[in-house]
Amino acid sequence: MERKNTILLTVIAIATLLVAVVGATFAYFTATINTEKYGEDQGKTNVTAGSVASNTIIANVETAAANISEDDAYPGHVEVAALSVQATSTENAISKFNIIYKATKNEYSAESFNIHLYKYEPEEDTPIATTDNYFTCNHAIDDVGSTETEIHYIDKCNDWTSASANKLITSGATLVETKLLSGEKVEFTGQEITGSATGKTVYYYVVVEYINKSSTQNADFSKTLEGKISVELAA
């Protein structure tokens, strides 16, 4: 009789342990995801193909000097050459290009020239007529620097006061950038125009300025600067 009681107690004990294990609460880490969208476009990955101007034409300007040629320049002399850039595109695509002035021969002292780039985008397709000696430059004596024993000869250009105040500016052109010719070339990068189905034309004017320095420039007597203006397409 005592043996049966013992077995019964053992079974009850095991059953109690199972109930305790099944009903136990275990600790755990938890994390939640909250999505807050402010519009239907959130999370989209749309890619649309672009376009470039199908045709870009670089040309001379009929009413302007296409090249720079001066055989008797004094310090202060300024000359201008013009070119046109036309872009054609049915998608109104942008034509990107760089304008480069490269000195193919430069016998002058270092840093004797500034190269200025101007842009003209008229409402009507009419360029600025930059004929020869556009800035009206003539030989003169510099009254400021000359003395009784030393005469300073310069070119005085009546229609050129500075890069930002001259005949091109008053005619509607905009100064894009000025760079010192310190090596063999200067590059005006990042130029662009938006093409049209009939062709959008923009005019550019490259001005070469022989800098009038505060010191003697006699070392430049009879020296020659030869250069070429070119345009290259860019990405």
Side-chain angles (χ1 to χ4, degrees), residues 45-65:
T45 56
N46 298 340
V47 178
T48 303
S51 59
V52 296
S54 59
N55 194 24
T56 301
I57 300 173
I58 314 301
N60 293 333
V61 179
E62 292 184 0
T63 59

Side-chain angles (χ1 to χ4, degrees), residues 56-138:
T56 301
I57 300 173
I58 314 301
N60 293 333
V61 179
E62 292 184 0
T63 59
N67 54 61
I68 294 172
S69 180
E70 174 58 42
D71 296 328
D72 190 24
Y74 288 4
H77 191 84
V78 186
E79 288 286 348
V80 57
L83 56 91
S84 69
V85 181
Q86 183 186 82
T88 303
S89 170
T90 57
E91 303 292 336
N92 292 327
I94 295 175
S95 178
K96 298 181 179 181
F97 51 92
N98 305 324
I99 296 178
I100 301 168
Y101 176 85
K102 183 177 182 180
T104 55
K105 180 180 181 180
N106 188 0
E107 299 175 339
Y108 282 83
S109 304
E111 301 182 345
S112 290
F113 289 90
N114 279 324
I115 311 298
H116 311 276
L117 179 67
Y118 294 83
K119 180 179 180 180
Y120 182 57
E121 193 171 358
E123 293 183 1
E124 298 181 359
D125 190 8
T126 304
I128 299 172
T130 54
T131 53
D132 291 340
N133 199 16
Y134 177 70
F135 295 108
T136 319
C137 297
N138 296 292

Side-chain angles (χ1 to χ4, degrees), residues 15-51:
T16 302
L17 179 61
L18 288 173
V19 172
V21 171
V22 172
T25 300
F26 295 95
Y28 55 89
F29 293 114
T30 182
T32 60
I33 298 176
N34 296 318
T35 302
E36 296 181 1
K37 290 194 173 183
Y38 299 97
E40 294 181 357
D41 291 334
Q42 292 290 329
K44 286 187 176 180
T45 56
N46 298 340
V47 178
T48 303
S51 59

